[in-house]
Amino acid sequence: TAGHKGGDRWRVNVAIQGLDLARGTVCGSMEALDVPKADSPVLTFWHGEIVDNRNHFFWTRRWGAQVVGDIEHWSKFTPFAQLRDRVAENGGRDIDLSSNRYIFMRWKERFFVNVGDDCGLTIAGFYYLCLDRNSGVIVGFYYDPKSDPFQCLQLTANTQMAGFSF
């Protein structure tokens, strides 16, 4: 589910369609259902970065994000607490995340697939996300300085389908 302006909530389906661990990238689609201003489900394509401290780091350095906002958003995730001081000190570049139970990511929606920009949603921002490898749960927070802060995305793994879907 996703929460947006005014406390609206709607179902969201996410499919991971590409994963490149060597480059620390992931991509897929996100389908928002029952969006108040949309006549049909809204499908977007997104590209993501896996924070692996080889290819991508905790500091975003684009999309309007500042270090203070990065720390503020990553700190919303309980598993980040044990990493916070080291990340605040040097960006956490010395932390080995390869065997960590949690995978930290950023997803940036690139374009609407089936609707126009007037569908009532924005893709100007991006998501900070944390995947629990044990449960398959992904929690994310949307960042866009022009939107309500900390809009939450909560996804659970769909074990009924092949591949990676939430």
Side-chain angles (χ1 to χ4, degrees), residues 108-152:
K108 171 72 175 121
E109 291 169 292
R110 298 296 183 172
F111 56 86
F112 292 103
V113 175
N114 66 332
V115 297
D117 291 343
D118 60 349
C119 66
L121 296 180
T122 178
I123 58 172
F126 68 95
Y127 291 90
Y128 292 87
L129 301 121
C130 181
L131 164 66
D132 181 338
R133 291 186 201 213
N134 290 354
S135 69
V137 170
I138 297 176
V139 174
F141 294 97
Y142 189 69
Y143 172 77
D144 176 1
K146 296 178 183 170
S147 295
D148 289 347
F150 305 114
Q151 296 172 36
C152 185

Short mmCIF file of all heavy atoms in Angstrom, two decimals, residues 108-152:
data_model
loop_
_atom_site.label_atom_id
_atom_site.label_comp_id
_atom_site.label_asym_id
_atom_site.label_seq_id
_atom_site.Cartn_x
_atom_site.Cartn_y
_atom_site.Cartn_z
N LYS A 108 13.74 5.30 -8.53
CA LYS A 108 13.31 6.53 -9.18
C LYS A 108 12.40 6.17 -10.34
O LYS A 108 12.83 5.50 -11.28
CB LYS A 108 14.54 7.31 -9.69
CG LYS A 108 14.21 8.50 -10.57
CD LYS A 108 13.63 9.62 -9.76
CE LYS A 108 13.41 10.87 -10.62
NZ LYS A 108 12.04 11.29 -10.65
N GLU A 109 11.13 6.55 -10.23
CA GLU A 109 10.21 6.33 -11.34
C GLU A 109 10.65 7.21 -12.50
O GLU A 109 10.91 8.40 -12.32
CB GLU A 109 8.77 6.64 -10.92
CG GLU A 109 8.23 5.63 -9.92
CD GLU A 109 6.93 6.06 -9.30
OE1 GLU A 109 6.95 7.05 -8.54
OE2 GLU A 109 5.91 5.41 -9.58
N ARG A 110 10.74 6.62 -13.69
CA ARG A 110 11.26 7.33 -14.86
C ARG A 110 10.15 7.88 -15.75
O ARG A 110 10.28 8.95 -16.31
CB ARG A 110 12.17 6.42 -15.68
CG ARG A 110 13.38 5.95 -14.94
CD ARG A 110 14.25 7.12 -14.59
NE ARG A 110 15.46 6.66 -13.94
CZ ARG A 110 16.47 7.41 -13.65
NH1 ARG A 110 16.44 8.69 -13.94
NH2 ARG A 110 17.53 6.92 -13.05
N PHE A 111 9.07 7.09 -15.93
CA PHE A 111 8.00 7.57 -16.79
C PHE A 111 6.71 6.79 -16.52
O PHE A 111 6.73 5.69 -15.98
CB PHE A 111 8.37 7.47 -18.27
CG PHE A 111 8.78 6.11 -18.74
CD1 PHE A 111 7.84 5.17 -19.17
CD2 PHE A 111 10.12 5.75 -18.77
CE1 PHE A 111 8.23 3.91 -19.61
CE2 PHE A 111 10.52 4.49 -19.21
CZ PHE A 111 9.57 3.57 -19.63
N PHE A 112 5.59 7.44 -16.89
CA PHE A 112 4.29 6.78 -16.84
C PHE A 112 4.18 5.90 -18.08
O PHE A 112 4.51 6.32 -19.18
CB PHE A 112 3.15 7.81 -16.84
CG PHE A 112 3.07 8.62 -15.59
CD1 PHE A 112 3.55 9.93 -15.56
CD2 PHE A 112 2.52 8.09 -14.44
CE1 PHE A 112 3.47 10.68 -14.40
CE2 PHE A 112 2.44 8.83 -13.27
CZ PHE A 112 2.92 10.13 -13.25
N VAL A 113 3.70 4.68 -17.90
CA VAL A 113 3.59 3.73 -19.01
C VAL A 113 2.24 3.85 -19.71
O VAL A 113 2.18 3.82 -20.93
CB VAL A 113 3.81 2.28 -18.51
CG1 VAL A 113 3.56 1.26 -19.61
CG2 VAL A 113 5.21 2.13 -17.93
N ASN A 114 1.17 4.00 -18.95
CA ASN A 114 -0.17 3.90 -19.54
C ASN A 114 -1.06 5.12 -19.37
O ASN A 114 -2.21 5.10 -19.78
CB ASN A 114 -0.89 2.68 -18.95
CG ASN A 114 -1.17 2.86 -17.48
OD1 ASN A 114 -0.46 3.56 -16.77
ND2 ASN A 114 -2.23 2.22 -17.00
N VAL A 115 -0.57 6.18 -18.74
CA VAL A 115 -1.38 7.37 -18.52
C VAL A 115 -0.51 8.61 -18.76
O VAL A 115 0.72 8.51 -18.84
CB VAL A 115 -1.97 7.44 -17.09
CG1 VAL A 115 -2.92 6.30 -16.83
CG2 VAL A 115 -0.87 7.49 -16.06
N GLY A 116 -1.15 9.77 -18.80
CA GLY A 116 -0.42 11.02 -18.94
C GLY A 116 -0.02 11.59 -17.59
O GLY A 116 -0.38 11.05 -16.53
N ASP A 117 0.70 12.68 -17.63
CA ASP A 117 1.17 13.32 -16.40
C ASP A 117 0.05 13.91 -15.55
O ASP A 117 0.27 14.31 -14.42
CB ASP A 117 2.16 14.44 -16.74
CG ASP A 117 3.47 13.89 -17.30
OD1 ASP A 117 3.74 12.69 -17.13
OD2 ASP A 117 4.22 14.68 -17.90
N ASP A 118 -1.18 13.96 -16.09
CA ASP A 118 -2.30 14.56 -15.37
C ASP A 118 -3.11 13.52 -14.58
O ASP A 118 -4.25 13.77 -14.22
CB ASP A 118 -3.21 15.30 -16.34
CG ASP A 118 -3.79 14.39 -17.43
OD1 ASP A 118 -3.32 13.24 -17.55
OD2 ASP A 118 -4.70 14.83 -18.14
N CYS A 119 -2.51 12.39 -14.26
CA CYS A 119 -3.22 11.29 -13.59
C CYS A 119 -3.41 11.52 -12.09
O CYS A 119 -4.05 10.72 -11.42
CB CYS A 119 -2.47 9.98 -13.81
SG CYS A 119 -0.85 9.96 -13.01
N GLY A 120 -2.86 12.60 -11.56
CA GLY A 120 -3.02 12.86 -10.14
C GLY A 120 -1.83 12.42 -9.31
O GLY A 120 -1.80 12.64 -8.11
N LEU A 121 -0.85 11.79 -9.92
CA LEU A 121 0.36 11.37 -9.22
C LEU A 121 1.57 12.10 -9.80
O LEU A 121 1.55 12.55 -10.94
CB LEU A 121 0.59 9.86 -9.36
CG LEU A 121 -0.46 8.95 -8.74
CD1 LEU A 121 -0.08 7.49 -8.97
CD2 LEU A 121 -0.60 9.22 -7.25
N THR A 122 2.61 12.18 -9.01
CA THR A 122 3.86 12.76 -9.48
C THR A 122 4.96 11.70 -9.41
O THR A 122 4.91 10.82 -8.55
CB THR A 122 4.27 13.99 -8.65
OG1 THR A 122 5.53 14.47 -9.15
CG2 THR A 122 4.41 13.67 -7.17
N ILE A 123 5.90 11.80 -10.33
CA ILE A 123 7.08 10.93 -10.27
C ILE A 123 8.34 11.79 -10.19
O ILE A 123 9.43 11.36 -10.54
CB ILE A 123 7.14 9.95 -11.47
CG1 ILE A 123 7.16 10.70 -12.80
CG2 ILE A 123 5.98 8.96 -11.39
CD1 ILE A 123 7.42 9.79 -14.00
N ALA A 124 8.18 13.01 -9.70
CA ALA A 124 9.32 13.93 -9.60
C ALA A 124 10.32 13.50 -8.55
O ALA A 124 11.51 13.79 -8.67
CB ALA A 124 8.82 15.34 -9.29
N GLY A 125 9.88 12.81 -7.53
CA GLY A 125 10.76 12.40 -6.44
C GLY A 125 11.29 10.99 -6.62
O GLY A 125 11.31 10.45 -7.73
N PHE A 126 11.69 10.39 -5.52
CA PHE A 126 12.19 9.01 -5.52
C PHE A 126 11.93 8.38 -4.16
O PHE A 126 11.55 9.07 -3.21
CB PHE A 126 13.69 8.97 -5.87
CG PHE A 126 14.58 9.58 -4.81
CD1 PHE A 126 15.19 8.78 -3.84
CD2 PHE A 126 14.81 10.95 -4.77
CE1 PHE A 126 16.01 9.33 -2.88
CE2 PHE A 126 15.63 11.51 -3.80
CZ PHE A 126 16.23 10.70 -2.85
N TYR A 127 12.11 7.08 -4.09
CA TYR A 127 11.87 6.33 -2.86
C TYR A 127 13.19 5.89 -2.21
O TYR A 127 14.09 5.41 -2.90
CB TYR A 127 11.06 5.06 -3.15
CG TYR A 127 9.65 5.31 -3.55
CD1 TYR A 127 9.30 5.47 -4.89
CD2 TYR A 127 8.63 5.37 -2.60
CE1 TYR A 127 8.00 5.70 -5.28
CE2 TYR A 127 7.32 5.59 -2.98
CZ TYR A 127 7.01 5.76 -4.31
OH TYR A 127 5.72 5.98 -4.69
N TYR A 128 13.27 6.03 -0.90
CA TYR A 128 14.29 5.36 -0.09
C TYR A 128 13.62 4.07 0.36
O TYR A 128 12.48 4.10 0.84
CB TYR A 128 14.62 6.17 1.16
CG TYR A 128 15.32 7.49 0.93
CD1 TYR A 128 14.60 8.66 0.68
CD2 TYR A 128 16.71 7.57 1.01
CE1 TYR A 128 15.24 9.87 0.51
CE2 TYR A 128 17.36 8.78 0.85
CZ TYR A 128 16.62 9.93 0.60
OH TYR A 128 17.25 11.15 0.44
N LEU A 129 14.31 2.93 0.23
CA LEU A 129 13.68 1.65 0.57
C LEU A 129 14.60 0.75 1.37
O LEU A 129 15.83 0.84 1.27
CB LEU A 129 13.29 0.91 -0.71
CG LEU A 129 12.33 1.67 -1.61
CD1 LEU A 129 12.94 1.88 -2.95
CD2 LEU A 129 11.04 0.95 -1.72
N CYS A 130 13.98 -0.15 2.11
CA CYS A 130 14.70 -1.15 2.88
C CYS A 130 13.99 -2.48 2.71
O CYS A 130 12.80 -2.60 3.04
CB CYS A 130 14.75 -0.74 4.35
SG CYS A 130 15.64 -1.89 5.41
N LEU A 131 14.70 -3.47 2.20
CA LEU A 131 14.19 -4.82 2.01
C LEU A 131 14.75 -5.72 3.10
O LEU A 131 15.96 -5.78 3.30
CB LEU A 131 14.60 -5.35 0.63
CG LEU A 131 14.48 -6.86 0.39
CD1 LEU A 131 13.05 -7.34 0.41
CD2 LEU A 131 15.15 -7.25 -0.92
N ASP A 132 13.87 -6.42 3.80
CA ASP A 132 14.26 -7.42 4.78
C ASP A 132 14.40 -8.74 4.03
O ASP A 132 13.42 -9.30 3.55
CB ASP A 132 13.21 -7.51 5.88
CG ASP A 132 13.56 -8.51 6.97
OD1 ASP A 132 14.36 -9.44 6.73
OD2 ASP A 132 13.01 -8.37 8.08
N ARG A 133 15.62 -9.24 3.93
CA ARG A 133 15.86 -10.49 3.18
C ARG A 133 15.13 -11.68 3.80
O ARG A 133 14.79 -12.62 3.10
CB ARG A 133 17.35 -10.82 3.15
CG ARG A 133 18.18 -9.89 2.33
CD ARG A 133 19.60 -10.41 2.27
NE ARG A 133 20.54 -9.36 1.94
CZ ARG A 133 21.62 -9.57 1.25
NH1 ARG A 133 21.92 -10.77 0.80
NH2 ARG A 133 22.44 -8.57 1.00
N ASN A 134 14.91 -11.66 5.11
CA ASN A 134 14.26 -12.80 5.78
C ASN A 134 12.76 -12.85 5.52
O ASN A 134 12.20 -13.91 5.28
CB ASN A 134 14.52 -12.76 7.28
CG ASN A 134 15.97 -13.08 7.62
OD1 ASN A 134 16.77 -13.44 6.77
ND2 ASN A 134 16.31 -12.92 8.89
N SER A 135 12.10 -11.71 5.58
CA SER A 135 10.64 -11.70 5.44
C SER A 135 10.17 -11.35 4.03
O SER A 135 9.02 -11.61 3.69
CB SER A 135 10.03 -10.69 6.42
OG SER A 135 10.37 -9.37 6.04
N GLY A 136 11.03 -10.72 3.23
CA GLY A 136 10.63 -10.27 1.91
C GLY A 136 9.83 -8.97 1.93
O GLY A 136 9.34 -8.54 0.90
N VAL A 137 9.74 -8.33 3.07
CA VAL A 137 9.00 -7.08 3.20
C VAL A 137 9.89 -5.91 2.77
O VAL A 137 11.06 -5.85 3.15
CB VAL A 137 8.50 -6.87 4.64
CG1 VAL A 137 7.93 -5.47 4.85
CG2 VAL A 137 7.46 -7.92 4.99
N ILE A 138 9.30 -5.01 1.98
CA ILE A 138 9.99 -3.78 1.58
C ILE A 138 9.19 -2.61 2.16
O ILE A 138 7.97 -2.55 1.99
CB ILE A 138 10.06 -3.62 0.05
CG1 ILE A 138 10.89 -4.75 -0.57
CG2 ILE A 138 10.63 -2.26 -0.32
CD1 ILE A 138 10.91 -4.72 -2.10
N VAL A 139 9.89 -1.71 2.83
CA VAL A 139 9.28 -0.48 3.31
C VAL A 139 10.03 0.66 2.64
O VAL A 139 11.26 0.62 2.51
CB VAL A 139 9.37 -0.36 4.85
CG1 VAL A 139 8.87 1.00 5.33
CG2 VAL A 139 8.60 -1.48 5.51
N GLY A 140 9.29 1.66 2.20
CA GLY A 140 9.91 2.80 1.54
C GLY A 140 9.27 4.11 1.93
O GLY A 140 8.13 4.14 2.40
N PHE A 141 10.02 5.18 1.73
CA PHE A 141 9.53 6.53 1.99
C PHE A 141 9.84 7.39 0.78
O PHE A 141 10.98 7.41 0.30
CB PHE A 141 10.16 7.13 3.24
CG PHE A 141 9.77 6.40 4.49
CD1 PHE A 141 10.59 5.42 5.03
CD2 PHE A 141 8.55 6.66 5.10
CE1 PHE A 141 10.22 4.72 6.16
CE2 PHE A 141 8.17 5.96 6.24
CZ PHE A 141 9.01 4.99 6.77
N TYR A 142 8.83 8.07 0.28
CA TYR A 142 8.96 8.91 -0.91
C TYR A 142 9.57 10.24 -0.54
O TYR A 142 9.20 10.85 0.48
CB TYR A 142 7.57 9.11 -1.53
CG TYR A 142 7.58 9.78 -2.88
CD1 TYR A 142 8.09 9.12 -3.99
CD2 TYR A 142 7.08 11.06 -3.04
CE1 TYR A 142 8.08 9.72 -5.24
CE2 TYR A 142 7.06 11.67 -4.29
CZ TYR A 142 7.57 11.00 -5.38
OH TYR A 142 7.56 11.59 -6.61
N TYR A 143 10.49 10.71 -1.36
CA TYR A 143 11.08 12.03 -1.16
C TYR A 143 10.84 12.89 -2.40
O TYR A 143 11.23 12.53 -3.51
CB TYR A 143 12.58 11.95 -0.90
CG TYR A 143 13.22 13.32 -0.90
CD1 TYR A 143 13.07 14.16 0.19
CD2 TYR A 143 13.89 13.79 -2.02
CE1 TYR A 143 13.62 15.45 0.18
CE2 TYR A 143 14.42 15.08 -2.04
CZ TYR A 143 14.29 15.90 -0.94
OH TYR A 143 14.81 17.16 -0.95
N ASP A 144 10.19 14.00 -2.18
CA ASP A 144 10.01 15.04 -3.19
C ASP A 144 9.76 16.31 -2.39
O ASP A 144 8.78 16.37 -1.65
CB ASP A 144 8.83 14.71 -4.11
CG ASP A 144 8.53 15.81 -5.11
OD1 ASP A 144 9.24 16.85 -5.14
OD2 ASP A 144 7.57 15.65 -5.88
N PRO A 145 10.64 17.31 -2.51
CA PRO A 145 10.45 18.51 -1.70
C PRO A 145 9.10 19.21 -1.93
O PRO A 145 8.66 19.97 -1.10
CB PRO A 145 11.61 19.42 -2.11
CG PRO A 145 12.35 18.74 -3.18
CD PRO A 145 11.80 17.36 -3.36
N LYS A 146 8.43 18.90 -3.03
CA LYS A 146 7.14 19.53 -3.33
C LYS A 146 5.95 18.68 -2.91
O LYS A 146 4.81 19.03 -3.17
CB LYS A 146 7.05 19.85 -4.82
CG LYS A 146 8.09 20.86 -5.26
CD LYS A 146 8.01 21.12 -6.73
CE LYS A 146 9.11 22.10 -7.14
NZ LYS A 146 9.23 22.20 -8.58
N SER A 147 6.21 17.53 -2.27
CA SER A 147 5.13 16.63 -1.84
C SER A 147 5.14 16.48 -0.32
O SER A 147 6.11 16.86 0.34
CB SER A 147 5.33 15.24 -2.46
OG SER A 147 5.21 15.28 -3.85
N ASP A 148 4.07 15.92 0.21
CA ASP A 148 4.02 15.64 1.64
C ASP A 148 5.21 14.76 2.01
O ASP A 148 5.52 13.80 1.30
CB ASP A 148 2.73 14.90 2.00
CG ASP A 148 1.50 15.79 1.91
OD1 ASP A 148 1.65 17.01 1.81
OD2 ASP A 148 0.38 15.23 1.95
N PRO A 149 5.88 15.06 3.13
CA PRO A 149 7.06 14.28 3.51
C PRO A 149 6.69 12.88 4.02
O PRO A 149 5.61 12.66 4.57
CB PRO A 149 7.70 15.10 4.62
CG PRO A 149 6.58 15.93 5.18
CD PRO A 149 5.62 16.16 4.05
N PHE A 150 7.59 11.97 3.79
CA PHE A 150 7.55 10.60 4.33
C PHE A 150 6.30 9.81 3.94
O PHE A 150 5.75 9.05 4.73
CB PHE A 150 7.71 10.62 5.85
CG PHE A 150 8.96 11.34 6.29
CD1 PHE A 150 8.88 12.52 7.00
CD2 PHE A 150 10.21 10.85 5.96
CE1 PHE A 150 10.02 13.19 7.39
CE2 PHE A 150 11.36 11.51 6.35
CZ PHE A 150 11.27 12.69 7.07
N GLN A 151 5.84 9.98 2.70
CA GLN A 151 4.78 9.12 2.21
C GLN A 151 5.33 7.70 2.21
O GLN A 151 6.41 7.44 1.70
CB GLN A 151 4.37 9.54 0.80
CG GLN A 151 3.79 10.93 0.75
CD GLN A 151 3.58 11.39 -0.67
OE1 GLN A 151 3.23 10.61 -1.53
NE2 GLN A 151 3.79 12.68 -0.91
N CYS A 152 4.59 6.79 2.78
CA CYS A 152 5.08 5.44 3.03
C CYS A 152 4.60 4.43 1.98
O CYS A 152 3.44 4.46 1.57
CB CYS A 152 4.63 4.99 4.41
SG CYS A 152 5.30 3.40 4.91
#
